[in-house]
Structure formats: C-alpha cells, structure tokens
Amino acid sequence: MSRVKAAVFASGTGSNFEAIIEADDLACDIALLVCNKPGAVVIDKAVKHGIPTLILDPKAYASKEDYEQKIVEKLHESGITWVFLAGYMRIVGKTLLHAFDRKIINIHPSLLPNFPGKDAIEQAYQAGAEQTGVTVHFIDEGIDTGPILAQESLTIYPDDTKETLQTRVQAIEHRLYPQVINQLVLKNL
Ligand code: GAR
C-alpha cells in the first residue's frame, strides 16, 4: 500500500519542518514544503533534504482565494492528503479549509487558548506566566483556534530568559509534533 503524502507549510526558520522530516518513524511522506516567504531559511532546509518546494508570494495574487486555489491545485496534483502548519504565519482561508476539511493541523508555542497569535513565547514571558507549553490542534477560521489534539506544559522558572524558554518550548515542539502526526495519520490509514 502506498504511503500517505503530506505537505508542511512554513514561513521562517523551519526547525519544526526539520524535526518532522528527520523523525525516525514518520508514518507519512513529506512530499512538499509550501512557503509564502521567498528567501526563508526553511527553503534551504527543504532543498538540503531533497523535498520539493512550492514558494508562492501571496502579494503576486489578486486575492487570498486565488493564492490558496493555486496551492490547492498543487496539493491535489501531488496526491497530498494532510497539511501540517509549522510556523506558517498566515491565516488559512476558506479555500484551503474547505479543500482539506479536518486535514490541516497546526503547532503553537503556548497552552491555547492562552497567548494566541505572534510571539506567543514572548507573550507568556512578558505576562509573568508561571506555565506555558505547546499545543497541536486542528485549524479553523480563527487565529490559533480549533479543536485541540495535544498539549504539553512546562514551568517558566524565575531565572528563565526568553532564550532559555524558547529553547525548552521548541524542544517539546520537535518531539510532540511528529508524535501527533503519527497518531493522526495511522488512525486514518
Ligand atoms: C514555532 O515555535 C511554531 O510553534 C510557531 O512558530 C515557530 C516556528 O519555528 N507558530 C506559531 O506561532 C503559530 N501561531 P520554526 O520555523 O523554527 O519551526
């Protein structure tokens, strides 16, 4: 039986992208990186690992629908059935949501619903929170909303800096995301 194909969407550094593709026992093939930021570091990582890339600048499209329709066409063409958002800093619209209903998940560096949106690690740090964590969830039309699949918490220590906190949050992300992906994909085989 052929393996399930998935795409990772990312906009930046791509440490989660790399953690997914380097996971020992990933239950699906990462067949495409979709990136909305020409020049992003994650693109180099995909090239290094021999993963095809689709780099589309939304500014080149007349509307969000046109931009997402182009992505949907490419995903269908490539036989992709799952989408994993990993630092994709755009709100997913109706076109993608309808085409991949309940097949798009996201990772977010906080215990949602706390600290949605950008810079969630810094938000938790600046708020003086005693705990933060990581959430993996199905997406919907909101910002970092949608049914939660998994969460893991961590303590913010008084001597933490933003950097030490980020390192610990990302270590959880890199372990948790491949685990959740495997649970979902295997359930749907
Ligand atoms: C990750 O921490 C991810 O959880 C976060 O962006 C970072 C991307 O890092 N996503 C969000 O904040 C989504 N709202 P990476 O490019 O090194 O994987």
Side-chain angles (χ1 to χ4, degrees):
M1 199 164 68
S2 65
R3 275 163 64 88
V4 167
K5 288 187 186 173
V8 174
F9 285 29
S11 310
T13 312
S15 70
N16 279 284
F17 167 73
E18 203 157 40
I20 293 167
I21 58 178
E22 287 183 347
D24 282 339
D25 51 356
L26 202 71
C28 56
D29 290 335
I30 303 301
L32 190 68
L33 168 74
V34 176
C35 181
N36 62 308
K37 288 252 182 236
V41 173
V42 67
I43 298 166
D44 298 335
K45 292 186 173 165
V47 171
K48 188 179 98 189
H49 287 273
I51 303 219
T53 57
L54 177 67
I55 302 151
L56 296 180
D57 187 343
K59 291 200 281 287
Y61 292 81
S63 65
K64 189 178 182 99
E65 288 72 24
D66 287 358
Y67 165 72
E68 290 197 341
Q69 192 50 48
K70 184 79 193 164
I71 296 176
V72 168
E73 275 166 34
K74 184 72 183 184
L75 295 180
H76 285 156
E77 224 174 86
S78 310
I80 284 162
T81 52
W82 279 98
V83 171
F84 310 137
L85 307 184
Y88 180 66
M89 302 315 261
R90 282 185 62 83
I91 299 167
V92 173
K94 286 190 171 57
T95 309
L96 264 163
L97 276 169
H98 289 163
F100 285 83
D101 188 30
R102 281 272 171 164
K103 293 287 186 182
I104 309 180
I105 64 170
N106 180 44
I107 189 157
H108 184 77
S110 77
L111 291 178
L112 291 171
N114 297 334
F115 309 120
K118 282 189 185 159
D119 303 323
I121 299 172
E122 172 147 14
Q123 288 186 54
Y125 185 78
Q126 297 297 352
E130 289 176 3
Q131 283 222 316
T132 189
V134 172
T135 303
V136 181
H137 62 102
F138 282 113
I139 64 157
D140 61 15
E141 287 175 35
I143 299 175
D144 299 318
T145 52
I148 290 174
L149 290 157
Q151 285 189 308
E152 192 168 318
S153 63
L154 62 79
T155 301
I156 303 178
Y157 299 115
D159 63 351
D160 260 321
T161 62
K162 271 182 284 178
E163 290 71 28
T164 59
L165 185 58
Q166 171 156 349
T167 301
R168 289 189 1 263
V169 168
Q170 289 218 309
I172 294 176
E173 290 193 321
H174 299 163
R175 175 172 45 74
L176 188 64
Y177 211 4
Q179 277 174 12
V180 176
I181 288 170
N182 279 352
Q183 284 163 5
L184 269 178
V185 168
L186 292 171
K187 208 172 68 188
N188 282 279
L189 278 176

